[in-house]
Amino acid sequence: DEKSNILSFHSLAAEKLEPAQLCHMANREVNDAFAGLNLNKERLVGIGISMPGIIDYQNGVVKFAAQTGWHNAAIKPMMEEISGINCILDNDIKAAAYAEYIKGNATDSEIAVSLYFGNGLGSALIVNGQIYRGVSNSAGELGISLRI
């Protein structure tokens, strides 16, 4: 809402989906959430999408995601075309770290680090209220290498 409170949260498993399938499913979830909350969709100012992988957040493109196998998937423009609503796409750990800075345990921090242990090892750094992205926007993408 206008105060950054989460009114509805939905998670979709994208591992076995093509980008267009994901966007159509996400659009249905948005429509269902607004209908379920009895809210006017005209009030929606944007859709936020976060995913693991190397994300070109400025253009809304998944450059590479190991979990889905996607390369250069233009999620933001596709989702905007399907939904008719402005969208933003970012890396899931960067989005989670920024949410912690805005509304969570890191609100009063000048520097905050978020770590994620899952299919890989990811991290994000917030410095003076901004996501630290590095030159290639892959700062924090640590991954895991196994040597046998």
Side-chain angles (χ1 to χ4, degrees), residues 3-141:
K3 296 179 183 175
S4 299
N5 293 309
I6 297 172
L7 300 179
S8 181
F9 175 86
H10 295 264
S11 179
L12 300 173
E15 290 85 3
K16 296 179 179 152
L17 299 175
E18 293 298 318
Q21 291 174 302
L22 174 73
C23 290
H24 282 287
M25 286 179 67
N27 188 52
R28 280 193 299 274
E29 290 286 334
V30 168
N31 289 335
D32 290 349
F34 269 76
L37 293 168
N38 200 27
L39 294 174
N40 182 352
K41 193 174 170 185
E42 299 298 318
R43 292 184 58 206
L44 183 61
V45 295
I47 297 172
I49 304 169
S50 64
M51 315 184 55
I54 306 298
I55 307 294
D56 172 357
Y57 76 100
Q58 293 171 314
N59 295 304
V61 175
V62 177
K63 300 303 276 182
F64 173 70
Q67 291 86 343
T68 60
W70 296 352
H71 293 271
N72 298 314
I75 298 298
K76 177 187 182 293
M78 190 181 313
M79 186 66 192
E80 288 178 339
E81 182 178 322
I82 290 167
S83 68
I85 299 167
N86 291 328
C87 297
I88 187 168
L89 171 72
D90 209 341
N91 172 272
D92 56 345
I93 308 307
K94 288 178 174 65
Y98 193 67
E100 282 297 324
Y101 175 75
I102 295 296
K103 293 289 281 188
N105 291 324
T107 54
D108 295 324
S109 302
E110 290 182 28
I111 298 174
V113 176
S114 182
L115 297 174
Y116 175 78
F117 300 91
N119 292 336
L121 173 59
S123 67
L125 181 63
I126 306 294
V127 179
N128 297 322
Q130 299 293 316
I131 299 170
Y132 179 76
R133 296 182 179 278
V135 175
S136 64
N137 192 39
S138 59
E141 290 297 321

